[in-house]
Amino acid sequence: MTVLVGYVPSALGEADLHAAIEQARFRNEPVLVLNTSRGDAYADPRLAQEADLDRVVRELVAAGVPHDVRQLMRGRDAVEEIEEIVEAEDVSLVVIGIRHRTPVGKLIMGSNAQEILLRVPCPVLAVKAD
């Protein structure tokens, strides 16, 4: 079993990572850190840079948690990537970040968090940044 965490380089991503580390310790499972981008924008703030991923690995090593870090840019959205990994691997928990959005914002832009909650068959832990 594995704890899968969707990571973005932000305060929300850090909160996700810390929650995933806590859950992995509690469950005695490894962490799979996933950072994704469609690759369709010149600059994607969700795409972690090498320094971001190095820091993530240092935190996981310091916490003593077995881990794998993947960065995918295959033209698919994060929901599709997470759903595929959950189906293909033995994922016990998905950790995702949520941020406050207005009802109109959710209607117009949709909600990746909601899609993940509805589509994956395992438990999902939704985390807010401090």
Side-chain angles (χ1 to χ4, degrees):
M1 303 296 279
T2 300
V3 174
L4 171 63
V5 58
Y7 177 78
V8 293
S10 67
L12 186 55
E14 293 304 312
D16 294 352
L17 180 62
H18 294 144
I21 289 171
E22 288 178 22
Q23 287 296 315
R25 285 179 164 168
F26 176 75
R27 296 163 178 265
N28 196 30
E29 297 175 0
V31 171
L32 170 54
V33 178
L34 178 64
N35 177 248
T36 67
S37 173
R38 286 183 182 213
D40 60 353
Y42 182 70
D44 184 350
R46 297 170 305 227
L47 183 65
Q49 301 301 308
E50 187 175 340
D52 299 318
L53 297 177
D54 288 345
R55 186 177 32 71
V56 166
V57 169
R58 283 193 306 273
E59 285 190 44
L60 290 161
V61 168
V65 176
H67 59 276
D68 184 17
V69 177
R70 297 182 196 167
Q71 188 172 53
L72 304 176
M73 290 185 290
R74 303 189 295 191
R76 299 166 56 187
D77 67 21
V79 175
E80 293 170 311
E81 297 290 8
I82 289 170
E83 186 177 29
E84 181 178 292
I85 290 173
V86 168
E87 290 174 2
E89 300 187 25
D90 201 11
V91 174
S92 64
L93 177 71
V94 176
V95 180
I96 58 171
I98 58 171
R99 64 183 190 278
H100 178 73
R101 292 187 15 194
T102 66
V104 173
K106 290 176 193 171
L107 178 65
I108 294 171
M109 300 296 290
S111 168
N112 282 345
Q114 181 178 348
E115 282 297 310
I116 292 167
L117 286 165
L118 294 172
R119 290 168 62 171
V120 301
C122 65
V124 177
L125 174 61
V127 178
K128 293 181 185 180
D130 291 334

